Amino acid sequence: MGGSQATMGGNRGGPALPGMENLGADAVMMGGIEEASEIPPGMEFVMSSVPDGEVAMDVASNSKGAEIRLSVKPVCMGFEDFYAAFTTDSHPAFSVSPQAGRMDRRGGEPTELVVTCVPNGKAGTFVGNLVINLPEDNSKICYKISATSF
């Protein structure tokens, strides 16, 4: 049977999507979606009562610091801007990078965050509460980070 969609010899003689003939190396993209690059003013980072994960690390007090890589699985249905920072009651030795970016959709590639602890010669156990805000989804992911400085 033929019908109006039948092809002769398998060649339809044109692009699969009419109007898209020139979409290639010389195509120019106008506009698009911009990725978050910094934390918006006034955003609050509040830890949940139960963290989504806990991480422990060791660092020498007289070293330049230590870092760990935190792999965060995406939880949203679509691509989502994220903002990451430690709560105000966290020890000041902690920092996170990147602080802003775009997280993949659920089932996609995890987002890699680098948590750094620089004790500046102080010894003891430092605690930091990392909050990853997902404002479009109105949710957050929280980690409790403990660093033992010796």
Side-chain angles (χ1 to χ4, degrees):
M1 280 198 163
S4 64
Q5 301 298 315
T7 59
M8 302 300 273
N11 184 6
R12 292 179 57 183
L17 297 171
M20 302 296 279
E21 298 88 1
N22 193 29
L23 188 62
D26 61 341
V28 177
M29 182 175 159
M30 302 294 286
I33 299 173
E34 293 185 22
E35 186 173 319
S37 60
E38 57 186 54
I39 297 172
M43 180 171 279
E44 294 181 358
F45 293 89
V46 179
M47 185 70 170
S48 352
S49 58
V50 177
D52 297 298
E54 295 189 28
V55 179
M57 61 189 295
D58 293 322
V59 59
S61 61
N62 59 354
S63 70
K64 293 182 180 179
E67 64 182 37
I68 56 168
R69 294 196 176 278
L70 194 59
S71 184
V72 182
K73 291 183 181 179
V75 295
C76 300
M77 294 301 290
F79 293 95
E80 175 90 25
D81 286 342
F82 73 86
Y83 304 97
F86 283 90
T87 59
T88 55
D89 62 343
S90 297
H91 196 278
F94 290 106
S95 64
V96 63
S97 176
Q99 291 186 330
R102 174 147 305 131
M103 191 173 283
D104 206 341
R105 61 181 167 237
R106 187 179 301 159
E109 293 293 317
T111 299
E112 298 291 326
L113 298 176
V114 177
V115 175
T116 306
C117 179
V118 181
N120 292 324
K122 296 179 182 163
T125 301
F126 308 142
V127 176
N129 296 312
L130 177 63
V131 178
I132 304 161
N133 280 337
L134 305 165
E136 291 173 29
D137 194 49
N138 199 26
S139 63
K140 59 186 169 185
I141 303 169
C142 301
Y143 289 92
K144 181 177 182 177
I145 314 287
S146 298
T148 303
S149 177
F150 49 90

